[in-house]
Amino acid sequence: MSFLRNPITLFGTLNLSAIAGSTYYLRSHHVYNLEEFEARLDEIEGTLRGHIGLIEESLDRLEGKATEADRGKKMAEYYGKRGRDEKKNA
């Protein structure tokens, strides 16, 4: 264990281990943030799809094409869809 007595080797080993540890920590933190961001985008996508369904239903009512039985159907249909789910099926 004579290499541990050399201060340059000791500091070099400590430096490399500190770099490796901080890299691992930053990578795991980055992956966590990406997952959180994707979850927020999925939530926003669902909300936007629901709003699009409401707008289309309102347009159908204004044009006189919709019935009472159709109310809420498009909103539920669009809100239930997700872009990622459509890509997996294709």
Side-chain angles (χ1 to χ4, degrees), residues 8-36:
I8 294 174
T9 307
L10 182 64
F11 287 128
T13 305
L14 288 174
N15 191 18
L16 287 176
S17 63
I19 290 171
S22 63
T23 302
Y24 178 75
Y25 170 74
L26 288 175
R27 183 189 178 283
S28 64
H29 189 67
H30 184 65
V31 167
Y32 174 78
N33 283 340
L34 286 176
E35 289 171 355
E36 289 290 317

Side-chain angles (χ1 to χ4, degrees), residues 39-85:
R40 277 189 295 245
L41 285 181
D42 285 345
E43 203 173 303
I44 290 170
E45 179 188 5
T47 303
L48 287 174
R49 286 178 179 270
H51 283 90
I52 289 169
L54 288 173
I55 291 168
E56 286 189 3
E57 284 177 0
S58 299
L59 183 62
D60 288 345
R61 278 198 318 266
L62 287 172
E63 292 174 348
K65 296 178 184 175
T67 61
E68 264 317 296
D70 294 338
R71 181 168 270 180
K73 192 181 276 186
K74 279 191 179 180
M75 192 259 322
E77 176 188 336
Y78 283 128
Y79 187 75
K81 283 186 186 177
R82 293 284 198 255
R84 242 185 345 174
D85 297 338

